[in-house]
Amino acid sequence: MKDRSLYGSAQAPVAPVSVSPPPPAGPPLVLPSLRPSPLLSGPYTFSHISAVWQLCPVARHITPSTALAWRYPPPHPPFYLGLTVHVAMNLRTALVLLVISIITIFALVCVLLTGRGGGRPSSPPQCPTLTTQKNLFRPHPDPSRLFSDLSREELASVMGFLTQRLGSGLVDASLAKPSDNSVYSVQLQLPPKAAALAHLDRGAPPPPREALAIVFFGQQAQPNVSELVVGPLPNPAYLRDVTVERHGGPLPYYKRPLSSKEFEEVSRMISEHALPRVSGLLHRCCYYKENLVSMTTAPRGLRSGDRATWFGIYYNVSGAGFYLHPVGLELLVDHGALDPAQWRVQRAFYNGRYYESLEVLERAFEGGRVEVVEIAPPSSKAPSSLRPRVSPGALPPLQFSPQGPRYHVQGSQVASPLWTFTFSLELFSGLRIFDIRFQGERVAYEVSLQEALTIYGGNSPAAMMTRYLDGNFGMGLFSTPLTRGVDCPYLATYVDWDFLADSGAPRTVRDALCIFEQNQGIPLRRHYSDIFSYYYGGLPGTVLVVRSVSTLLNYDYVWDMAFHPNGAIEVKFHATGYISSAFLFGAGRRYGNRVGEHTLGTIHTHAANFKVDLDVAGQENWLVAEDMAFEPRPVPWSPEHEMQLMQLTQKTLEREDQAAFPFGSTTPRYLYLASNQTNAWGHRRGYRIQPINFAGQPLPQESDIERACSWGRYQLAVTQRKDEEPSSTSLYNQNDPWTPTLNFTDFINNETIAGKDLVAWVTVGFLHIPHAEDIPNTLTVGNGVGFFLRPYNFFNEDPSVQSPDAVYFQSDQDARLCEVNPVSCLPEMAACAPDLPDFTHGGFRREP
Ligand SMILES: [Cu+2]
């Protein structure tokens, strides 16, 4: 049922509007507070004039050049007036009079232009705040915080419990050597769905809040990774090892992700021990000093058990991306031993040739047998720099909601008049949303990112080897602070994220998530009629968005979940940041475009997989495919002619094998989950999954690592939902893709999907052939893909007809009247200044 009471009439808030702020008026507008009667105390400075200037509302809308022209009308007063007063007065008196005259004239002009004559305040009032709008929001449906990430207190409490239970040998993960025992991560353990729904829908007590800890046991006789469930929170009393239950056996130690300590150790080994062994070469090619850095690739070897990684060597550039400055040297480092002292460079590669060891390379160089490419170190003004090339101009448009935000964020729960949901950042898989309800009715239990994959090509070992499964690094763990006004709208709600990984204590990413409502600048719908009847009807397109950004080495992925007023959910990601490049040599251009003097932008694909646990009018759902087909028919009124008649085709897909659509196959254009309820027109209430996608299959199935990302075979696969199949991937797949811990295709085993709780696994992505315009950064424009979840006969009509933002007027109405058209209320209702908080940034270090 729609709750109309949530929509006020006259008091309905106005959709966010976009305003172009007046151009910056320069430093004089940023003022110290006014002293009383500054005119009496002299000397008179720019700031005194500016103070009066700032009091005048009109002045705020005058450009700096206009303002300057007013202050100093040509010819410049100091010269012009100075000549006049020179005879009678001394200079100081002349200046005093000049300033008084200017201020008087200015004040008069100001009064004339504003026409306010003291009747109204001289500065616009502040826009209403959230508190006055509270009654507009739906209540948050989950006070028990079933899906909310663990708080710092909870994380600390789990860590304390584990320390107590696992004994004194536990070493802080930030310090732990591979041969130590350490807690790698702690995060929320999701409750079973049945228990969660029993609580949310039927008032059963909430399931216990639990944590999942990943522990590296490097000190045990059989080093291994263990997964432990700890509960109940906030005061843990039990610990359960779930490793075997989840993975069918113990997790070999070599599958573990690299801790930052391991990265640090490898990096130190390269810079302190490896590079000095080719110092002759490096002095010749690369102005060798402490100016070279290494960058990882993955996977790390060629068979299960390997932990040997190709590292590319790059020039470090202060304040700019080193990723664009390869020097031609790449090293294969075996870091599998538990004792870092035993780590070795197994192979070296320089400018197209492989060498058995660094010594062999250096001897070849000394013998004149190495073709050295001398590369000047890039300056901080290199093309890779993101520093502005020009001074700031007029500010870009700013959006604000004239009557305050139309959504409410409480912890990780978001409520708007239409939507409620809970957001979370899973350490490894990243952004996810739970218990998504539209107009109070749940449409999805979970929509979550699962994995991000990039597969590269190239003619150097690091490039040709690179197949990143970013969940192993952690899309949540590597989420980064969102910069106000750039990464999200200035007035978005910014939310910190507490986490525990790679360190023994909780840390915080400031502003890790943002929530905002945006006016899309395009009507959600509109129609103009001047045939038979004269009217206009329209609705501004608004959308409520939750965003996080993961910076995974060079790349930045922008993850969005967007909620539209018609019940549609839009899931998308954009890629930006630096490309991963390779040293250009030989036939490099078969693998990409040259993007710098010695830089090849290597060809690659981006793909991401999402879990979509829709509950369409309940948990029992069916997958229905619809498309169209032409059928030859005699023309009914002229049977000697034949026509091609378009008709609808419809098929209910009964089994998982029918519901898996590989890339390259023909996929029905309408695929939706249907319920056993019908709408007023007798159609089954459904939600359609509509990808916007340019992906292909990421790897041929002949590849010995393809099974580690076999979700990538399918544009869409629908399976029975099971608590035991929570994810399409495993964080352990990256470091052992040859024997993947989780092979997604195992989910597709021809079970029935008719009338079951279903999950759709959706893959979207695109091919990226980096080009000149990827320098310095890949742009979000054109590099975004995703999918829509859209109501399909779910309602009896478009639910956005209930929106208080709707505009409708007829020819006999005066559309300028606020009673007729809410948009015309805007000049009055929006005559307030948005409460712009000071600019903030979350900094460059995770806060302890
Ligand atoms: Cu790319």
Side-chain angles (χ1 to χ4, degrees), residues 781-823:
V781 172
N783 289 313
V785 286
F787 58 92
F788 286 91
L789 305 171
R790 293 172 56 188
Y792 186 70
N793 291 320
F794 189 78
F795 301 105
N796 300 328
E797 61 178 350
D798 170 17
S800 75
V801 293
Q802 296 293 337
S803 172
D805 298 342
V807 170
Y808 175 84
F809 46 81
Q810 294 178 300
S811 57
D812 59 354
Q813 291 176 296
D814 185 350
R816 294 169 303 174
L817 296 178
C818 188
E819 306 85 83
V820 173
N821 166 17
V823 177

Side-chain angles (χ1 to χ4, degrees), residues 696-727:
Q697 188 175 326
L699 279 171
Q701 284 181 37
E702 295 76 38
S703 158
D704 63 355
I705 65 165
E706 191 271 346
R707 291 176 310 135
C709 52
S710 57
W711 50 263
R713 290 181 200 174
Y714 308 100
Q715 314 172 45
L716 175 74
V718 176
T719 61
Q720 259 191 41
R721 187 201 181 279
K722 294 174 181 172
D723 281 331
E724 317 84 78
E725 294 177 354
S727 170

Side-chain angles (χ1 to χ4, degrees), residues 623-627 649 651 667-672 688-690 790 792:
L623 177 65
V624 182
E626 290 183 351
D627 211 310
T649 62
K651 189 178 180 189
T667 303
R669 282 174 281 191
Y670 275 58
L671 279 162
Y672 62 95
R688 179 183 170 200
I689 302 165
Q690 182 185 11
R790 293 172 56 188
Y792 186 70

Side-chain angles (χ1 to χ4, degrees), residues 555 604 606 768:
Y555 259 115
H604 58 279
H606 294 270
H768 188 184

Side-chain angles (χ1 to χ4, degrees), residues 454 456 555 575 579 604 606 766 768 770 778:
T454 40
Y456 283 80
Y555 259 115
I579 58 167
H604 58 279
H606 294 270
F766 56 97
H768 188 184
T778 294

Side-chain angles (χ1 to χ4, degrees), residues 57 108 239 273 313 525 614 630 646 739 757:
L108 284 171
L239 176 156
H273 302 290
I313 307 298
R525 55 179 158 79
L614 286 168
F630 285 102
M646 186 193 285
T739 313
D757 191 2

